[in-house]
Amino acid sequence: MKQPVTAVLLGAGGRGFYSYAPYALEHPDELRFVAVAEPDPVRRERFAKTHNIAPENQFTTWEDLLARGQMADVLLNCTQDRMHYPSTMAAIEAGYHILLEKPMAERLEHVVSLVQAAERANRLLQVCHVLRYTNMFATLHDILASGRIGDIITVEHRENVAFWHMAHSFVRGHWRNAELSSPMILAKCCHDLDILYWNMGMPVSKLQSFGSLIYFRPENLPAGATMRCTDGCPVECKYDARRLYLRPELTEWPISAITDDFSPEGRWRALETGPWGRCVWRCDNDVVDTQTVNMEFPNGATMTLFMHGHSYEEQRTMRYDGTRATLRGKFDHTGGVIEIHDHLEQRCEVVDLASGPSGHGGGDFGLMRGFIRAVRGEDRPLTGGRESLESHLMAFAAEESRQNGTVIDMAEYRARAERA
Ligand SMILES: NC(=O)c1ccc[n+]([C@@H]2O[C@H](COP(=O)([O-])OP(=O)(O)OC[C@H]3O[C@@H](n4cnc5c(N)ncnc54)[C@H](O)[C@@H]3O)[C@@H](O)[C@H]2O)c1
């Protein structure tokens, strides 16, 4: 019988503890954690207890863990964006195969360095582009690859971020400020750009982007609004943190991001003292709330990605118009639906796709399964570092275009990034 792959975890927060590590509990024959690095004592102990980690293998920082040398087959890096580069570089040097959260790093030269270093060391560097592992996007990809809609002429893909999720992550939360984390087009849409690149089967030739922060600015502050919602703010407001976080029926994310104490008192304390209780017009946010990316492919096909944070619900929608058929799709936490409208037969086929049993429509566990198979040499990694580099290049190019008002020649941009 095969032995389980052994793993160490950097960062036992939202992604590390809740999204990926439960895979080891459900599949102990495939994966076993043997060490953890996490500075927050509550999170560290919670992980150690759940996964039965020996006291000498519980570390406060990733530096402490990696100072021990290689302790397992693989390393999962679920730290925050700005920690990815130094910790992953050190992990490659230590000899680990790595599962790395997206974005790989917040600077393009660091992303390229990581890909090149993993290739030189012959280590697996798999990136958590979880959408490729969902029923929805795997089926969409297969339909497009089958030629069912013919040659793709034009694509519209929308990442409709719900208004409350925008406030939670990109106004109040971890990804609100590009200098502290990464630009939103990288943080949120490297997933979407990865799917678009995968589906088109070729890299983009030209790219241009527009966007800005329109709404979450101090000049839109309603009269009478207080610094924090918990200061007794009298304004009726859809972003009121008391409405968003105190509902007892909410017991997972996004509550798990603001506190590890889910009691009413714990939640209130988190809102009174932490970033998620702040008025959305009084934050240190600077990332956009709307951005479009306009792309052209070598064969003339065109594509537009819309990203914005003002949707009534969290959903991705898409439309592919081809020479034989038009495909429309919608993906949300409940699963997905694809319609194929055949031009000649004037017929519409509807494909309903249930969500898998883990987060991101089943993508979180699908990714873990794929990673274990890749480490065991049973399959090629679907989202290896080199494959994932392209979506990151597209995101960085979009940000450069948005800021400078330029059209980016992607062949030249790619060559420049690889040389740097
Ligand atoms: N794949 C996806 O769909 C997806 C979704 C959300 C977030 N992410 C990415 O996952 C990563 C983690 O996000 P999260 O929501 O879990 O964040 P988080 O803040 O909940 O978790 C990060 C953890 O790292 C810990 N940490 C801080 N300093 C450390 C150190 N020196 N050594 C070890 N650990 C340290 C923190 O205490 C925290 O518990 C981010 O890069 C984020 O962009 C990916």
Side-chain angles (χ1 to χ4, degrees):
M1 205 178 89
K2 277 185 217 153
Q3 290 299 311
V5 168
T6 55
V8 301
L9 174 69
L10 308 185
R15 303 299 298 164
F17 180 74
Y18 287 108
S19 301
Y20 303 129
Y23 190 85
L25 302 176
E26 285 194 26
H27 303 278
D29 53 322
E30 292 184 37
L31 182 68
R32 183 163 64 84
F33 283 94
V34 298
V36 62
E38 167 60 58
D40 182 321
V42 174
R43 291 182 167 194
R44 189 171 60 247
E45 278 163 40
R46 179 180 67 179
F47 186 86
K49 202 167 158 207
T50 310
H51 293 272
N52 206 12
I53 307 291
E56 65 276 18
N57 288 352
Q58 300 170 23
F59 300 90
T60 308
T61 68
W62 65 262
E63 287 98 331
D64 297 340
L65 186 148
L66 286 168
R68 273 278 199 91
Q70 189 172 1
M71 301 170 65
D73 303 316
V74 305
L75 177 144
L76 273 66
N77 192 342
C78 298
T79 57
Q80 275 296 346
D81 302 0
R82 298 227 151 206
M83 226 167 267
H84 289 178
Y85 172 69
S87 55
T88 305
M89 228 16 156
I92 293 171
E93 279 161 23
Y96 285 105
H97 293 300
I98 295 161
L99 185 70
L100 173 60
E101 257 304 356
K102 49 56 52 181
M104 287 191 264
E106 81 292 355
R107 286 171 53 184
L108 180 55
E109 60 269 35
H110 287 171
V111 173
V112 176
S113 294
L114 287 176
V115 173
Q116 292 176 345
E119 286 173 347
R120 272 197 308 274
N122 198 22
R123 297 291 85 183
L124 177 64
L125 175 65
Q126 189 160 328
V127 178
C128 298
H129 277 143
V130 289
L131 292 187
R132 285 204 195 192
Y133 302 87
T134 60
N135 283 341
M136 168 73 190
F137 285 104
T139 306
L140 170 65
H141 181 75
D142 287 348
I143 292 171
L144 296 172
S146 74
R148 187 80 192 283
I149 80 153
D151 296 334
I152 298 170
I153 302 294
T154 188
V155 181
E156 175 197 314
H157 176 109
R158 301 182 64 97
E159 165 57 313
N160 304 296
V161 180
F163 68 91
W164 58 266
H165 185 183
M166 178 77 203
H168 172 78
S169 292
F170 303 100
V171 180
R172 293 172 164 135
H174 293 308
W175 300 279
R176 65 188 182 273
N177 185 297
E179 271 305 302
L180 301 175
S181 56
S182 9
M184 187 170 168
I185 197 70
L186 177 67
K188 195 77 189 86
C189 284
C190 65
H191 282 306
D192 304 271
L193 293 165
D194 177 62
I195 289 293
L196 291 167
Y197 162 59
W198 188 39
N199 284 344
M200 294 303 284
M202 65 186 111
V204 165
S205 52
K206 278 192 226 149
L207 180 153
Q208 164 203 53
S209 182
F210 296 108
S212 62
L213 175 60
I214 298 178
Y215 192 46
F216 301 99
R217 313 176 68 92
E219 55 268 34
N220 291 323
L221 180 74
T226 54
M227 285 299 286
R228 284 180 179 271
C229 306
T230 45
D231 295 340
C233 186
V235 178
E236 188 181 21
C237 171
K238 66 182 180 182
Y239 301 107
D240 188 332
R242 294 166 295 185
R243 284 168 77 133
L244 297 180
Y245 299 108
L246 298 182
R247 283 163 32 213
E249 70 274 18
L250 289 182
T251 53
E252 298 175 353
W253 185 87
I255 309 302
S256 57
I258 72 162
T259 179
D260 294 317
D261 175 358
F262 288 10
S263 69
E265 301 75 31
R267 295 177 191 215
W268 185 264
R269 224 176 2 259
L271 298 185
E272 267 185 331
T273 56
W276 288 278
R278 294 180 297 174
C279 172
V280 291
W281 290 280
R282 295 181 189 266
C283 291
D284 55 341
N285 60 308
D286 67 359
V287 302
V288 301
D289 57 358
T290 181
Q291 188 164 353
T292 59
V293 187
N294 204 10
M295 292 160 270
E296 187 176 62
F297 288 84
N299 65 356
T302 59
M303 182 162 88
T304 303
L305 164 69
F306 296 81
M307 172 188 83
H308 71 100
H310 298 278
S311 175
Y312 70 106
E313 67 171 358
E314 188 81 1
Q315 47 161 251
R316 289 179 159 96
T317 52
M318 59 229 69
R319 174 174 172 138
Y320 289 74
D321 286 281
T323 49
R324 292 181 58 188
T326 294
L327 181 151
R328 299 175 67 183
K330 178 178 164 183
F331 173 74
D332 63 24
H333 70 283
T334 63
V337 61
I338 294 174
E339 293 173 6
I340 306 159
H341 299 262
D342 188 274
H343 296 171
L344 183 66
E345 295 176 12
Q346 290 286 295
R347 205 167 46 82
C348 170
E349 184 192 344
V350 180
V351 185
D352 274 311
L353 295 152
S355 170
S358 67
H360 283 110
D364 291 347
F365 272 21
L367 167 90
M368 289 303 292
R369 195 170 305 115
F371 180 57
I372 304 291
R373 287 181 61 79
V375 170
R376 286 178 162 167
E378 295 166 359
D379 213 346
R380 70 176 188 90
L382 192 55
T383 53
R386 181 58 62 183
E387 181 76 357
S388 297
L389 173 59
E390 188 61 26
S391 57
H392 285 63
L393 279 160
M394 291 157 83
F396 283 108
E399 195 55 10
E400 188 173 307
S401 166
R402 183 183 76 83
Q403 288 178 346
N404 300 342
T406 47
V407 176
I408 310 273
D409 175 330
M410 287 300 291
E412 193 274 323
Y413 192 82
R414 247 174 244 119
R416 182 155 46 101
E418 205 72 40
R419 275 197 308 273

